[in-house]
Amino acid sequence: MHRAAGKSIGLVAAAILAASISTPASADSSEYFERVATYPVYENHPDGAEGTTAAEISTVSEDGNTLIYSDALSRSVGFVDISDPSKPQGLGLLGLHQLGSAEDEPTSVAAYGPYVFVVVNTSASYSEPSGRVDVVRIADRSLVHSFELPGQPDSIAISKDGAYAGIAIENERDEDAGDGGLPQAPAGSVAILDLKSGSPEEWNLREVPLTSGTPSDPQALPLLAKAGLDTPQDPEPEYVSINSENQLAVTLQENNGMVLIDMPSGKLKRAFSTGTVDLQGIDSTDDGQLDANGSLHDVPREPDAVAWLQDRYLATANEGDWKGGSRGFSIFDSRTGKVVWDSGNALEQLALAQGLFPESRADKKGVEPEGLAIAQFNGVDYGFVAAERANFVAVYDLSNPKSPRYVQTLPSTNGPEGILLIPERGLLAVASETDEDDVRSALSLYSFGADEAQFPQLVSNRNSLVPFGALSGLSPDPKDPGKLYAVSDNAYAAQIYGISLGKPATVDHSISVTGASVELDIEGLAAREDGGFWAAHEGAEGTGNLLVKIDDSGAVVEEVALPEDVVGPLQKQGLEGVAVRGSGDDEQVIFALQREVPGESFVRLGKYLPATGSFSWYGYQLDQPAEDSWNGLSEITALPDGSYAVIERDNQVGPAAQHKAIYQVELPGSEAKGAGAGVAMVDKMLAFDVLPMLEATRGWTQEKLEGLAVAGEEVYVATDNDAVDDATGETVFASLGKASSVFDLESDSPTPTPEPSESSPVPSPSEDEAEPGSSQPAQEPETEDQDSTSGESSSVVPEKVVQAEPEGNLADTGADSLWLIPVGLVVALLGAAAAFKSARERRAK
């Protein structure tokens, strides 16, 4: 039976599938947050994607509909309409040159009635700090009034009764001065803005000093000195929070301490050290391995963000600075300064268990908690802690401050810092400040009230932790339909992971790959019927690509180089997937290269017969890539009927991603035995367009769709998270439904893909060099991963292309047809859809 139907129904099915991949509720239902939008803030910049821009701290208008964020990179304040949180709309930027000077830098924002306070750093240098607060009318963005500050400001908070605003005057240290440590004059302080009734011109600003002495020679106050702070003569206030009793809490990050101030009187009430932590069960060494057996001792917490909890307790995100960072968050009793609870290694282990750990930061501050906020949703106190380097926000139920309960992890884009809670609308907004080529600074919006968590879809049990990441290939377990194997690429030391299927799927063990002659970059994995594995190692050049045979213990027992006469000219982007059929003398190893060999207009699939050592070759025609991108193969897997499925994808990420698809192919009966024998071309049929599913998670669309496997009659896919290195780190692991619905496994007559149309011709080798937009590497812009042909393609004699009839039978799904997704409601939606006529019948008309 040929399975083809309208693509519009397929898009609905993809959206439903995206909802179906979430994990089941582990506690009370409807207490979860789900991501509803990710808004790249470059879309709010007049230069668009070419703009230099980053959202850091955000606030929201009184009606909850206009989100306002500070953007230090573009020296501006941004406005975004979130009246429909699933479709944020940019309202433009207010440049600080319109308020003061083009050199001014916003450090924070806070909405107050019809106004927004814009906190501005105007410092000429570290030794000459200065700043101001601009009061801007939100409606027309006009400057109403300005207040000069006694130094360089950082954060701002407004009291719940609207009577006061507190501002941390940090006067931050120069990290390049001397040893970069403390003290460095002038010392910081706190500014209090009295918000009397009437116009802003009637408001009053007063300073609360945190030192005595003079600006050039500050002296420690006895209260701070007795608290045991690191360098009390240079307190460096970082973050402020105000409770309903108008008590202001101020973190002194570099001093590893906290100060409490009574706002009406401006008097210091208490100061205390935030202490140190011993950590076990963390990755503390940047060695290319995910290892949770490290430890640290007597680490100063050095808190950044702080938030009041139930007016008595204080929660801190312990980011660390120059001497410490305890990689977690803590809760203190404000009356005693004592710790009532500490997360210990919990955030580190969450990251390791959910594929989000930034291993390159293991010897620094790990996940680096920076932002923190607390608010009530549905009458429950929830705490939100942003892990700046691991790109997630951990959500905790803080009903009992002495025993918080972990609720869920919310993946974000890179560098989450500002956490904005809008409980009146059941919303959470996270501003991620890191702005890179692949992942741009963004605002992520989450809605409260979901019955289950969307993330993670793949997890390791913290009681038997198996850290994972950078999954570059999947394989079924031939002995157990409830199991899969995955493999990591060279982001880490090579590991094979065992996965038990379920919701979520669980990484339950790993096997270290040992004994290879080279440092392995495994991009594909296939479990053998006879035990052990075949793996695809991608070499830095053609002859460096290896098929690697690995036994059950992970030991390499054989390495097979690809024929030099075929792949010799290849530069990077070689072996990317591998599949296995048969056993004993009948074993076949089928593999895929990612990109074209220079001089050829197609990508090669290959077959290796271990019993004879022979190779056969086939040609696969990639879709035409979009401008400034390339397409390539990233996986091949065997299907039950003897055909194969491949992942074809572009190298784009986020909004630029356009092509993430699975095609079904059969190997032709005509085989090319050597470089000069010609290459038999395969027909390809679109089986599943994965892009809508990736987009339906409402996050930053992942680039590297690299894992594909069929197990227990289900089709599974996984993304490579690039080891959280210049990537969000989010791993998508999902079932696409039954293989019999995703693929055509029942047709009884071959239905090849239509010949390429004139709009997308298959270039002959002689046309390839001059073809605009060609997928040949030499014609595409330079990227880090791109082949460097250096003109070598002109010296390669291209092979003859042979269009051969496939051995088996496949239904033509075509680029405009439906891939079915038999998951829950999708089955109901599509069950009544009649099969369309085959492409062969359509062409006959």
Side-chain angles (χ1 to χ4, degrees):
M1 180 177 68
H2 296 299
R3 290 173 175 80
K7 190 172 182 180
S8 60
I9 303 177
L11 294 175
V12 174
I16 297 171
L17 173 65
S20 76
I21 64 177
S22 58
T23 61
S26 60
D28 297 337
S29 62
S30 302
E31 69 168 353
Y32 297 96
F33 290 80
E34 61 182 354
R35 185 170 50 200
V36 295
T38 297
Y39 177 76
V41 294
Y42 71 72
E43 292 186 5
N44 205 26
H45 193 283
D47 294 335
E50 302 302 318
T52 301
T53 182
E56 185 176 7
I57 303 298
S58 61
T59 186
V60 70
S61 59
E62 197 170 30
D63 62 5
N65 290 329
T66 302
L67 186 148
I68 306 164
Y69 61 90
S70 62
D71 185 342
L73 288 184
S74 69
R75 311 280 178 167
S76 62
V77 175
F79 296 77
V80 178
D81 179 358
I82 59 168
S83 54
D84 180 352
S86 68
K87 297 178 181 178
Q89 300 293 319
L91 299 175
L93 301 176
L94 171 63
L96 262 63
H97 68 279
Q98 297 174 256
L99 304 178
S101 166
E103 299 303 314
D104 292 345
E105 175 187 356
T107 64
S108 191
V109 288
Y112 179 73
Y115 309 115
V116 60
F117 295 134
V118 180
V119 183
V120 184
N121 176 15
T122 62
S123 303
S125 66
Y126 289 102
S127 60
E128 301 176 89
S130 63
R132 70 173 189 273
V133 178
D134 290 333
V135 183
V136 175
R137 183 178 290 107
I138 296 174
D140 59 9
R141 304 180 195 177
S142 62
L143 178 62
V144 176
H145 194 67
S146 291
F147 295 89
E148 294 299 318
L149 295 172
Q152 172 258 315
D154 196 328
S155 69
I156 183 173
I158 299 175
S159 63
K160 293 177 175 61
D161 62 5
Y164 306 99
I167 303 168
I169 306 299
E170 183 177 11
N171 291 349
E172 65 182 348
R173 63 190 172 92
D174 182 356
E175 296 181 14
D176 296 324
D179 62 359
L182 302 179
Q184 292 183 27
S189 61
V190 170
I192 296 177
L193 190 59
D194 297 311
L195 307 175
K196 301 176 183 178
S197 59
S199 66
E201 291 83 356
E202 300 176 77
W203 298 344
N204 177 61
L205 185 79
R206 50 196 166 99
E207 182 181 12
V208 179
L210 297 180
T211 58
S212 59
T214 65
S216 61
D217 185 23
Q219 301 297 311
L221 293 177
L223 182 67
L224 274 65
K226 290 179 182 178
L229 304 187
D230 185 275
T231 315
Q233 67 270 34
D234 187 7
E236 297 216 11
E238 185 75 23
Y239 207 95
V240 291
S241 181
I242 307 170
N243 67 7
S244 62
E245 298 173 357
N246 287 329
Q247 303 296 300
L248 178 71
V250 188
T251 56
L252 312 177
Q253 187 171 18
E254 288 90 338
N255 272 274
N256 194 36
M258 186 97 68
V259 170
L260 303 182
I261 300 172
D262 178 71
M263 298 195 78
S265 66
K267 292 183 178 180
L268 275 63
K269 305 296 290 184
R270 184 172 293 108
F272 58 88
S273 170
T274 49
T276 63
V277 174
D278 290 337
L279 293 173
Q280 305 287 337
I282 63 170
D283 189 342
S284 58
T285 306
D286 176 11
D287 58 0
Q289 299 187 56
L290 293 170
D291 181 2
N293 296 311
S295 62
L296 293 171
H297 302 282
D298 293 324
V299 182
R301 287 184 170 88
E302 292 192 344
D304 189 330
V306 61
W308 284 93
L309 172 61
Q310 300 172 8
D311 279 345
R312 174 173 177 175
Y313 300 98
L314 288 162
T316 61
N318 305 322
E319 178 196 22
D321 202 302
W322 62 307
K323 286 187 176 180
S326 65
R327 307 187 180 205
F329 73 103
S330 306
I331 299 178
F332 299 86
D333 187 335
S334 68
R335 299 175 185 175
T336 64
K338 302 297 184 183
V339 176
V340 299
W341 184 84
D342 189 276
S343 66
N345 67 7
L347 296 187
E348 293 280 295
Q349 293 220 338
L350 277 178
L352 288 164
Q354 298 176 1
L356 289 170
F357 188 75
E359 213 284 325
S360 63
R361 304 287 300 178
D363 60 346
K364 299 177 178 66
K365 293 179 284 184
V367 300
E368 204 166 316
E370 182 174 12
L372 183 145
I374 296 172
Q376 283 195 353
F377 289 83
N378 198 25
V380 176
D381 289 315
Y382 287 96
F384 305 82
V385 185
E388 182 182 9
R389 300 293 181 172
N391 307 335
F392 71 82
V393 174
V395 184
Y396 280 79
D397 178 343
L398 302 180
S399 300
N400 182 352
K402 297 180 180 180
S403 183
R405 177 177 63 87
Y406 166 74
V407 176
Q408 70 180 125
T409 300
L410 299 173
S412 70
T413 55
N414 298 12
E417 179 171 354
I419 302 178
L420 173 63
L421 305 178
I422 316 174
E424 299 82 5
R425 296 192 61 201
L427 294 177
L428 159 69
V430 176
S432 298
E433 64 177 338
T434 304
D435 195 56
E436 299 170 326
D437 290 338
D438 288 336
V439 184
R440 305 298 302 271
S441 173
L443 298 168
S444 299
L445 292 168
Y446 308 83
S447 177
F448 177 70
D451 292 334
E452 54 188 20
Q454 292 176 314
F455 178 90
Q457 294 100 41
L458 182 66
V459 66
S460 177
N461 190 322
R462 286 185 58 198
N463 294 326
S464 54
L465 184 60
V466 182
F468 69 92
L471 303 183
S472 57
L474 288 180
S475 169
D477 183 338
K479 299 179 176 62
D480 188 341
K483 302 276 189 181
L484 285 177
Y485 290 104
V487 67
S488 58
D489 61 24
N490 65 349
Y492 308 119
Q495 293 285 321
I496 297 172
Y497 301 101
I499 297 174
S500 294
L501 296 172
K503 288 190 175 182
T506 304
V507 180
D508 51 28
H509 71 278
S510 66
I511 306 167
S512 296
V513 180
T514 61
S517 64
V518 296
E519 181 180 335
L520 290 175
D521 181 10
I522 299 180
E523 297 290 348
L525 184 75
R528 305 174 62 235
E529 291 182 25
D530 295 335
F533 309 88
W534 280 102
H537 161 70
E538 183 180 28
E541 56 186 17
T543 55
N545 289 273
L546 303 173
L547 295 172
V548 182
K549 189 176 181 180
I550 303 168
D551 69 18
D552 288 325
S553 71
V556 171
V557 295
E558 184 179 0
E559 296 176 347
V560 180
L562 302 189
E564 183 176 3
D565 60 347
V566 176
V567 301
L570 194 63
Q571 300 290 320
K572 293 185 179 180
Q573 297 171 317
L575 273 172
E576 194 71 16
V578 65
V580 174
R581 284 200 192 279
S583 62
D585 289 345
D586 295 326
E587 186 175 59
Q588 301 178 6
V589 182
I590 313 299
F591 55 91
L593 303 182
Q594 185 172 51
R595 300 288 305 284
E596 303 92 337
V597 173
E600 296 180 344
S601 60
F602 53 87
V603 172
R604 285 178 177 257
L605 305 179
K607 180 193 293 184
Y608 170 68
L609 303 180
T612 63
S614 64
F615 283 87
S616 302
W617 297 99
Y618 311 90
Y620 177 99
Q621 188 64 59
L622 294 168
D623 284 13
Q624 282 289 101
E627 186 178 359
D628 296 328
S629 68
W630 54 257
N631 292 338
L633 300 182
S634 62
E635 176 71 294
I636 186 168
T637 194
L639 297 179
D641 68 339
S643 63
Y644 296 87
V646 297
I647 291 176
E648 182 179 334
R649 66 168 179 86
D650 60 14
N651 65 332
Q652 299 300 300
V653 63
Q658 296 187 38
H659 187 51
K660 317 288 180 187
I662 298 171
Y663 288 89
Q664 187 175 357
V665 301
E666 288 194 8
L667 301 186
S670 174
E671 301 177 351
K673 299 295 186 182
V679 175
M681 297 297 292
V682 304
D683 291 316
K684 69 176 189 178
M685 281 60 76
L686 178 65
F688 201 104
D689 182 357
V690 187
L691 184 60
M693 188 206 75
L694 295 176
E695 294 175 332
T697 65
R698 304 296 181 89
W700 196 257
T701 303
Q702 301 299 306
E703 174 198 349
K704 294 186 175 179
L705 182 68
E706 297 207 344
L708 173 65
V710 177
E713 300 184 357
E714 293 275 321
V715 182
Y716 294 91
V717 293
T719 59
D720 176 355
N721 74 349
D722 267 339
V724 203
D725 187 8
D726 296 333
T728 67
E730 185 174 345
T731 297
V732 175
F733 182 90
S735 168
L736 304 183
K738 295 292 185 183
S740 57
S741 295
V742 174
F743 302 107
D744 186 341
L745 304 178
E746 300 179 19
S747 62
D748 51 15
S749 61
T751 315
T753 305
E755 293 295 326
S757 65
E758 293 183 2
S759 61
S760 57
V762 178
S764 67
S766 60
E767 295 171 333
D768 225 17
E769 294 180 2
E771 179 77 27
S774 165
S775 59
Q776 184 176 349
Q779 296 297 320
E780 295 166 2
E782 290 290 332
T783 65
E784 182 178 347
D785 293 333
Q786 189 165 340
D787 299 79
S788 176
T789 60
S790 303
E792 292 180 349
S793 61
S794 61
S795 63
V796 177
V797 179
E799 297 185 16
K800 176 183 178 183
V801 176
V802 180
Q803 188 72 36
E805 195 71 16
E807 295 173 335
N809 308 314
L810 295 174
D812 179 12
T813 55
D816 296 320
S817 56
L818 171 68
W819 20 264
L820 299 183
I821 311 173
V823 181
L825 184 57
V826 182
V827 174
L829 285 173
L830 300 182
F836 277 28
K837 294 182 179 180
S838 69
R840 174 172 292 178
E841 293 171 325
R842 290 196 302 270
R843 287 197 299 273
K845 293 181 179 181

